Amino acid sequence: MMDKYRCRFHPERKAVLYCEKYEYGYCDECVSDDLLCTDPELYCKFRTHCIIWENCRHLLKEKRAGSE
Ligand SMILES: [Zn+2]
């Protein structure tokens, strides 16, 4: 059973971030470890206030800039 208040990868830890689209929680460590959006290319209506996406957006931009 999925608990959105628990980390997706560390169920024993409390989630500090939460993906509203997939209902995944993430702990402190996962967030600081360059956490990426599960589906960065897919439209997400929660994106405007999603911290995961904010984080991911910068990394994607860097990645794209590097491959061009
Ligand atoms: Zn975690």
Side-chain angles (χ1 to χ4, degrees):
M1 200 176 78
M2 202 59 212
D3 181 350
K4 70 179 188 182
Y5 299 109
R6 300 269 157 201
C7 178
R8 177 187 176 189
F9 302 111
H10 310 93
E12 77 281 5
R13 295 184 194 167
K14 230 181 123 198
V16 294
L17 252 188
Y18 170 60
C19 169
E20 290 182 77
K21 187 164 81 171
Y22 287 102
E23 304 193 324
Y24 290 148
Y26 296 96
C27 74
D28 249 337
E29 192 193 309
C30 289
V31 171
S32 60
D33 192 22
D34 280 347
L35 176 65
L36 288 178
C37 180
T38 314
D39 235 331
E41 310 286 347
L42 206 76
Y43 172 76
C44 172
K45 66 176 173 178
F46 303 109
R47 221 165 240 181
T48 46
H49 61 263
C50 179
I51 302 166
I52 303 170
W53 170 245
E54 267 308 306
N55 193 6
C56 179
R57 197 163 57 139
H58 297 301
L59 292 171
L60 269 185
K61 220 168 141 188
E62 274 171 37
K63 217 168 103 186
R64 280 182 185 154
S67 64
E68 273 168 12

